[in-house]
Amino acid sequence: MASSVIDNAIAQLANVQINDLSSSSSLNLQKNLSILSPDQVELAKMLLAMGQGHLFEDWPDTGVDDDEKKALLVQVALLNSSYPGGLASYIKTARQLLADSKAGKNPFDGFTPSVPSGEVLTFGDDNFIKYEETGVKQIQNAAFVLVAGGLGERLGYNGIKVALPMETITGTCFLQHYIESILCLSEASCRQAQGKCRREVPFVIMTSDDTYAKTLQLLESNSYFGMKSTQVKLLKQEKVACLADNDARLAVDPNNKYRIQTKPHGHGDVHSLLYSSGLLKEWKDAGLRWVVFFQDTNGLLFKAIPAALGVSATKEYHVNSLTVPRKAKEAIGGITRLTHSDGREMVINVEYNQLDPLLRATGHPDGDVNCETGYSPYPGNINQLILEIGPYMDELSKTGGAIKEFVNPKYKDSTKTAFKSSTRLECMMQDYPKTLPPSAKVGFTVTDPWLAYAPVKNNPDDAAKVPKGNPYHSATSGETAIYRSNSMILRKAGVNIDDPVSEVFNGQEVEVWSRVVWKPKWAVTFSDVKTKVNGNNNSLSQKSTLVIKGRNVFIEDLSLDGTLVIDSVDDAEVKVGGVVQNKGWAIENIDKENSALSEEVRIRGFKINKMEHLEKSYSEPGKHSLNA
Ligand code: UTP
């Protein structure tokens, strides 16, 4: 570095030193200026000015650990550039939020809750079908965004969550199902538009260092599950600096004194990444209208997407939260309108442990209670959002995609002066509406409780401890929910499906319905199902498994008591009827500690024992009939 630059930097560091408690840090830094680039010197000055001198406290003279010292500044540059407003802004916000937390400040002080407006759907009725039709039309104007950067610590699975089989009858993983659903929905949208459509609906996956490489590998080794590789974009969120104390001093990595400890910032990063990557602008310029956000392990979501998009389009919602009915006090957040005496207003997710006290404090002595529907009037947030691109882009150009953050320090004791371990700021995707003006149209769509939400988040031991009546959110409940939902849909389409039986797997009591699975190309809407199920004499016994892989498979007066697997090329039309009876595939309890079994099986607590089945595959175009 030129000596005048160093002299200048030393002079400026001397000024900074006044604010910095640890002057030895400043001296250490001065001695090392020659090894740093001018940009790195600027970053070091910023750190000193922001009270982060401890990061340089133990720095030896030049010649010792120089590469490590430079690597620290490289890390600082990344932390600085990946946070809207930079690291100084992160530290400032952290100080404010830590002070609020220490003072026990309630973020909702002064707000009065009320029930926002939204649409309550009943699966399969005329209203639902109308919304589905409207939604399918809109698919070609949508981009899909999967947030898949989470560690999945609660589940404890060794791989990435999107690689997990959604169900073990076919072994289809979550990512494959999502991609096939998007492809089939966009085909359906094109059919409605009689070919005048955008064929390549964009699909973005937000990953993190924990998930990026494995997600890319899963896609590449499976030819992107049929999607064009150019249609899929992977974004990567960066972690944020950990905070060691109430002064927001950045925590030093316990394994390396030349690194700052970092942790995930939360799925709220998706907004700033979509904005800074230029994708949002690209989509807006291309005339797209919607962004659909969804999460890594919800095998049911796409059953509700068309109708929810129809609600967004019909009601012109800028923000539409897909929700499920929620029992009062149930442990999921409720979508709530909050009105402040100073005129502020927002429609937002309020966590259940904040909603009940907030209601009690604002004139509802019983807090959160069920209404005449048997559910709380505040619908349950499931973090699947549909945003309208125009207003979304307008808002992000003001905020740069920064989402209101929170901090959740675990204090050592009631003095709240020290933390048990370092903390960090976090942000959540669903907090996006917090900065919107009251004029923004923020609504919700409620679907039937069995239709659209069965995430896989909890490991078997934790799931078994979930209080009775609350959802397990485990691999066991995630898979059995798919069979329930598909069986219920076939029931609505007129098929006689036996009642489920109750079974316990991995300590969790679940309903076991007939194992019904179909590929998205068979049906992506209820109208598709209704067209493909004909006759008044279709029935499935509880022990049955029905797998439909072909596009034009028509079920007509089929009586199934066993297992039937039907596949066909797209140009074939196959009528499936008659009586099919065999030993079928049994769902059998396994011991989750049995290390001879795969992790994917052990986390479910059951395996599929394929005893006997009828499998038919039609590889020639034309009309076929299976009349067993
Ligand atoms: P979860 O609540 O399931 O959290 O995230 P998680 O981090 O994956 O799992 P735990 O809490 O460690 O057990 C909801 C969705 O948000 C994504 C997840 O991948 C999931 O789809 N997510 C979460 C991110 O994309 N980034 C994050 O920083 C956190």
Side-chain angles (χ1 to χ4, degrees):
M1 200 192 308
S3 61
S4 62
V5 177
I6 298 176
D7 291 347
N8 209 355
I10 291 175
Q12 289 184 27
L13 276 174
N15 289 336
V16 167
Q17 190 183 320
I18 298 166
N19 302 325
D20 182 37
L21 295 177
S22 144
S23 56
S24 65
S25 310
S26 178
L27 284 172
N28 288 343
L29 188 57
Q30 284 176 25
K31 284 190 232 156
N32 280 283
L33 285 178
S34 60
I35 64 162
L36 303 179
S37 70
D39 285 350
Q40 290 175 333
V41 171
E42 285 304 314
L43 287 171
K45 271 162 44 189
M46 178 273 292
L47 287 173
L48 282 189
M50 294 306 294
Q52 306 295 335
H54 63 286
L55 296 173
F56 310 107
E57 211 160 65
D58 296 331
W59 271 27
D61 286 352
T62 46
V64 183
D65 293 345
D66 287 352
D67 286 346
E68 286 295 312
K69 293 171 199 164
K70 284 191 265 185
L72 171 67
L73 271 305
V74 169
Q75 186 198 17
V76 169
L78 181 64
L79 291 170
N80 192 50
S81 64
S82 57
Y83 185 81
L87 201 47
S89 157
Y90 179 79
I91 295 164
K92 247 166 65 193
T93 309
R95 281 199 186 119
Q96 183 59 53
L97 289 174
L98 286 164
D100 289 351
S101 166
K102 188 170 183 217
K105 202 166 154 187
N106 177 349
F108 297 124
D109 257 358
F111 281 101
T112 306
S114 60
V115 182
S117 66
E119 183 71 21
V120 181
L121 300 178
T122 304
F123 181 84
D125 70 7
D126 291 348
N127 197 39
F128 186 92
I129 289 171
K130 186 189 79 196
Y131 278 128
E132 263 197 343
E133 270 170 25
T134 311
V136 168
K137 276 196 195 120
Q138 291 296 326
I139 290 285
Q140 55 174 301
N141 301 322
F144 286 82
V145 178
L146 165 64
V147 290
L151 265 174
E153 275 176 326
R154 282 170 290 169
L155 185 64
Y157 175 57
N158 270 318
I160 47 169
K161 288 186 274 175
V162 289
L164 268 174
M166 197 176 96
E167 35 79 14
T168 48
I169 291 284
T170 66
T172 305
C173 74
F174 283 103
L175 190 56
Q176 174 172 4
H177 174 72
Y178 295 153
I179 288 181
E180 289 181 354
S181 299
I182 294 169
L183 288 172
C184 291
L185 278 169
S186 67
E187 270 174 38
S189 194
C190 270
R191 274 199 302 278
Q192 275 203 8
Q194 290 170 341
K196 290 190 198 112
C197 58
R198 269 181 216 94
R199 283 172 191 278
E200 290 184 17
V201 169
F203 178 39
V204 166
I205 309 175
M206 181 175 78
T207 61
S208 64
D209 276 329
D210 300 314
T211 62
Y212 175 82
K214 286 181 180 165
T215 308
L216 186 61
Q217 206 235 334
L218 180 65
L219 286 164
E220 287 185 338
S221 57
N222 289 285
S223 311
Y224 286 73
F225 296 111
M227 199 172 246
K228 284 190 183 156
S229 59
T230 47
Q231 206 174 334
V232 185
K233 291 252 167 3
L234 260 62
L235 299 176
K236 185 159 76 72
Q237 60 176 148
E238 297 298 337
K239 292 184 176 158
V240 286
C242 291
L243 307 158
D245 57 27
N246 281 328
D247 292 327
R249 277 154 45 103
L250 303 182
V252 175
D253 187 330
N255 301 314
N256 183 346
K257 67 174 180 173
Y258 296 106
R259 291 292 184 287
I260 295 165
Q261 192 185 14
T262 58
K263 283 189 184 164
H265 189 216
H267 42 58
D269 279 344
V270 72
H271 302 295
S272 60
L273 278 177
L274 286 179
Y275 184 70
S276 62
S277 63
L279 280 171
L280 263 189
K281 181 167 181 322
E282 200 180 290
W283 295 341
K284 191 170 176 233
D285 292 348
L288 296 189
R289 197 172 161 205
W290 311 104
V291 190
V292 179
F293 293 89
F294 63 107
Q295 304 201 11
D296 51 17
T297 59
N298 182 9
L300 295 182
L301 174 78
F302 277 87
K303 297 190 184 302
I305 285 296
L309 195 51
V311 171
S312 280
T314 308
K315 304 209 162 226
E316 300 183 327
Y317 281 154
H318 300 171
V319 178
N320 183 8
S321 293
L322 191 55
T323 62
V324 288
R326 177 183 156 275
K327 290 279 179 197
K329 303 180 182 63
E330 190 183 321
I332 57 171
I335 302 292
T336 310
R337 178 184 303 283
L338 295 174
T339 314
H340 200 277
S341 43
D342 64 12
R344 276 179 292 159
E345 190 176 293
M346 55 185 161
V347 175
I348 197 76
N349 172 57
V350 178
E351 289 307 332
Y352 73 101
N353 51 357
Q354 293 173 316
L355 181 58
D356 190 65
L358 189 62
L359 282 162
R360 286 174 198 273
T362 51
H364 307 86
D366 297 327
D368 183 20
V369 283
N370 293 328
C371 62
E372 64 286 352
T373 60
Y375 290 99
S376 163
Y378 298 92
N381 171 51
I382 58 170
N383 271 349
Q384 328 279 341
L385 300 174
I386 301 175
L387 304 188
E388 184 169 2
I389 289 186
Y392 182 37
M393 185 77 194
D394 292 346
E395 178 65 12
L396 294 197
S397 38
K398 286 186 233 148
T399 61
I403 296 303
K404 289 264 180 226
E405 294 158 302
F406 62 95
V407 69
N408 192 10
K410 306 275 178 285
Y411 297 107
K412 270 197 177 142
D413 56 40
S414 58
T415 62
K416 296 190 176 177
T417 45
F419 307 158
K420 281 186 188 156
S421 60
S422 66
T423 185
R424 85 286 198 183
L425 299 191
E426 293 176 76
C427 63
M428 300 189 293
M429 167 168 97
Q430 68 272 27
D431 279 345
Y432 161 72
K434 276 193 174 165
T435 53
L436 291 177
S439 57
K441 292 187 79 171
V442 185
F444 61 80
T445 302
V446 188
T447 67
D448 303 78
W450 52 267
L451 182 68
Y453 191 55
V456 178
K457 288 180 188 283
N458 292 325
N459 63 62
D461 292 338
D462 289 344
K465 286 183 216 140
V466 165
K468 206 171 163 54
N470 278 321
Y472 298 118
H473 291 170
S474 65
T476 314
S477 60
E479 175 159 350
T480 49
I482 289 169
Y483 306 138
R484 176 182 59 184
S485 181
N486 286 345
S487 294
M488 297 278 277
I489 292 172
L490 286 194
R491 257 193 186 175
K492 295 260 176 196
V495 180
N496 290 311
I497 305 248
D498 275 359
D499 283 339
V501 297
S502 207
E503 293 204 42
V504 177
F505 303 111
N506 279 352
Q508 303 153 56
E509 188 176 342
V510 286
E511 282 182 352
V512 180
W513 289 75
S514 312
R515 272 72 69 207
V516 178
V517 185
W518 61 76
K519 283 259 182 204
K521 72 171 159 182
W522 185 68
V524 275
T525 60
F526 185 49
S527 301
D528 288 344
V529 174
K530 284 206 307 184
T531 329
K532 289 176 176 171
V533 175
N534 299 308
N536 297 321
N537 294 309
N538 291 301
S539 66
L540 260 70
S541 67
Q542 189 276 334
K543 76 163 216 210
S544 291
T545 299
L546 174 63
V547 182
I548 310 174
K549 297 180 178 172
R551 183 184 297 274
N552 293 307
V553 172
F554 294 86
I555 307 291
E556 197 167 318
D557 296 328
L558 170 73
S559 163
L560 178 61
D561 182 31
T563 294
L564 175 62
V565 181
I566 296 283
D567 199 356
S568 64
V569 292
D570 285 358
D571 299 339
E573 197 181 299
V574 185
K575 236 180 224 169
V576 176
V579 178
V580 176
Q581 206 164 20
N582 53 47
K583 285 191 191 130
W585 294 353
I587 186 162
E588 284 182 0
N589 236 301
I590 56 102
D591 174 7
K592 72 175 164 51
E593 309 303 336
N594 181 351
S595 56
L597 295 168
S598 70
E599 189 182 1
E600 289 77 6
V601 167
R602 283 190 280 136
I603 57 174
R604 284 157 222 269
F606 59 76
K607 68 171 190 205
I608 308 297
N609 181 3
K610 300 185 174 179
M611 297 178 297
E612 195 186 358
H613 60 266
L614 175 65
E615 181 164 7
K616 288 277 183 185
S617 188
Y618 298 87
S619 53
E620 296 298 321
K623 295 201 179 216
H624 305 269
S625 164
L626 172 107
N627 216 325

